[in-house]
Amino acid sequence: MSFIIRKGKAGDCKAALELIHELALYEKAPEEVELSLEQLIDDGFGGNSIYELLVAEDRGQIIGIAIFYEKYSTWKGRCTYLEDLIVTKSKRGIGAGKALFEAVIKYSKEKNSGRMEWQVLDWNVPSINFYKAYDAELDGEWFNGRFTREQIQKIDLD
Amino acid sequence: MSFIIRKGKAGDCKAALELIHELALYEKAPEEVELSLEQLIDDGFGGNSIYELLVAEDRGQIIGIAIFYEKYSTWKGRCTYLEDLIVTKSKRGIGAGKALFEAVIKYSKEKNSGRMEWQVLDWNVPSINFYKAYDAELDGEWFNGRFTREQIQKIDLD
């Protein structure tokens, strides 16, 4: 294989944000990405960082990323949450997604995570098949509830 | 109303864990709660705490809890994730759930959270109606993917 997997740096965030936009477009929600490059850098590499970044690099080009963080479960305790696993379209099929995903499993193993979790759209068949090949459980019994930032600010509290 | 909402303390974790078990039973997954009292105390009140606890207290009795933490979204940045909102069955209907939920909204407002999120089982109609009364979005388009702790430890990595 021609790529390597390594820990991300602040300087990778520009390429990471491009991949985040590429995925949002595929997920039919391009307008939902409100995150700025400055925010992404600060949230991952500032004094109070909240996520971990792994990148797949192919001859100097970032072709894929995994972004994950420690979440909490009142059933399992500290868990690993994989927020994004993205490989750019032109570089699929060379194993970068597999290598990134397995690096996150390795991280979860070392952390002794209570679970490793992620979400996948119910119509994203290639990704669903990718996860099924690992015997992952894919559970469609839950709704995601949410308020937007605007709703949070507008709700009238007594 | 006869109850108060206040920040939780380590001493509230025993009652909180009982409520976590009560909810897991309602969610038809009582065997899924692997968290010990010691772990819950350490995760919320140890040196490296990961969640926030609010309690509803009625004449010395903990009748409800909200457990939440800061999660990360590559679309919205830092968000509030409400892991559990529980009111014990015999104390429903007096507004404790509403008061706890609105306290978490208030927290999200003060934090300027990019979103406030939670999950609800697709057959839990009373809770769905509760969230709908707030005009929350409830989105059933995603699968929850997961590996258990045992799977994480067993997966053969190259």
Side-chain angles (χ1 to χ4, degrees):
Chain A
M1 69 191 189
S2 60
F3 61 86
I4 57 155
I5 303 294
R6 63 165 172 79
K7 264 181 86 79
K9 302 174 291 199
D12 300 317
C13 284
K14 188 166 176 293
L17 191 56
E18 284 167 15
L19 290 170
I20 290 165
H21 279 279
E22 183 180 333
L23 177 61
L25 194 66
Y26 176 77
E27 290 181 336
K28 302 174 186 166
E31 75 292 349
E32 289 288 347
V33 184
E34 292 171 8
L35 196 71
S36 69
L37 178 58
E38 292 66 34
Q39 240 186 299
L40 185 64
I41 293 171
D42 191 51
D43 292 337
F45 303 91
N48 179 26
S49 69
I50 182 167
Y51 71 80
E52 305 280 334
L53 172 65
L54 288 173
V55 302
E57 184 181 277
D58 183 0
R59 284 156 290 187
Q61 186 201 347
I62 304 300
I63 62 164
I65 57 167
I67 289 188
F68 50 102
Y69 59 86
E70 191 176 59
K71 63 156 273 181
Y72 197 64
S73 158
T74 49
W75 290 1
K76 309 297 176 188
R78 293 172 191 263
C79 298
T80 302
Y81 189 84
L82 177 59
E83 166 71 6
D84 273 340
L85 176 66
I86 316 175
V87 175
T88 192
K89 196 168 177 196
S90 64
K91 297 288 184 175
R92 304 248 172 95
I94 59 171
K98 185 178 186 310
L100 284 165
F101 190 59
E102 295 189 358
V104 181
I105 298 173
K106 186 162 176 275
Y107 168 95
S108 305
K109 198 178 216 171
E110 286 165 5
K111 282 262 182 184
N112 191 22
S113 294
R115 265 186 182 165
M116 178 172 149
E117 299 181 358
W118 62 91
Q119 289 202 317
V120 60
L121 280 160
D122 58 8
W123 50 259
N124 186 349
V125 176
S127 294
I128 288 170
N129 289 338
F130 173 87
Y131 296 127
K132 279 191 175 164
Y134 286 91
D135 282 327
E137 187 182 359
L138 296 176
D139 170 357
E141 210 188 0
W142 297 84
F143 289 130
N144 285 339
R146 69 177 76 99
F147 292 130
T148 64
R149 189 191 304 267
E150 293 66 36
Q151 279 178 299
I152 293 167
Q153 294 301 330
K154 268 191 210 159
I155 290 172
D156 200 22
L157 302 171
D158 307 330
Chain B
M1 71 190 189
S2 60
F3 62 84
I4 58 155
I5 303 295
R6 62 165 174 79
K7 266 182 87 78
K9 301 173 292 199
D12 300 318
C13 284
K14 189 166 175 290
L17 192 56
E18 283 167 16
L19 289 170
I20 289 164
H21 279 278
E22 183 179 333
L23 178 61
L25 194 65
Y26 176 77
E27 291 181 335
K28 301 172 187 168
E31 74 292 349
E32 289 287 348
V33 183
E34 292 172 7
L35 197 69
S36 69
L37 177 59
E38 293 64 35
Q39 241 187 300
L40 185 64
I41 293 171
D42 192 51
D43 292 338
F45 303 92
N48 179 26
S49 69
I50 183 167
Y51 71 80
E52 305 279 336
L53 172 65
L54 287 174
V55 302
E57 184 181 277
D58 185 359
R59 282 157 292 186
Q61 186 200 347
I62 305 300
I63 63 166
I65 58 166
I67 287 187
F68 51 103
Y69 59 86
E70 192 174 60
K71 62 156 274 179
Y72 197 65
S73 159
T74 50
W75 290 2
K76 309 297 175 188
R78 292 173 192 263
C79 298
T80 301
Y81 189 83
L82 177 58
E83 165 72 5
D84 273 339
L85 176 66
I86 316 174
V87 175
T88 193
K89 197 169 179 199
S90 64
K91 297 288 185 174
R92 305 250 172 93
I94 60 170
K98 186 179 187 307
L100 284 164
F101 190 59
E102 295 189 0
V104 181
I105 298 172
K106 186 163 177 272
Y107 169 94
S108 305
K109 197 177 215 172
E110 286 165 4
K111 282 263 184 184
N112 190 24
S113 295
R115 263 186 184 166
M116 177 173 149
E117 299 180 358
W118 62 93
Q119 289 202 316
V120 59
L121 280 162
D122 59 9
W123 50 259
N124 185 349
V125 177
S127 294
I128 288 170
N129 289 337
F130 173 86
Y131 296 127
K132 279 193 175 163
Y134 285 91
D135 282 328
E137 189 182 357
L138 295 177
D139 171 356
E141 211 188 359
W142 298 83
F143 289 132
N144 286 339
R146 70 178 75 100
F147 291 129
T148 64
R149 189 192 305 267
E150 292 67 35
Q151 279 178 298
I152 294 167
Q153 294 301 331
K154 269 191 211 160
I155 290 172
D156 199 24
L157 301 171
D158 306 329

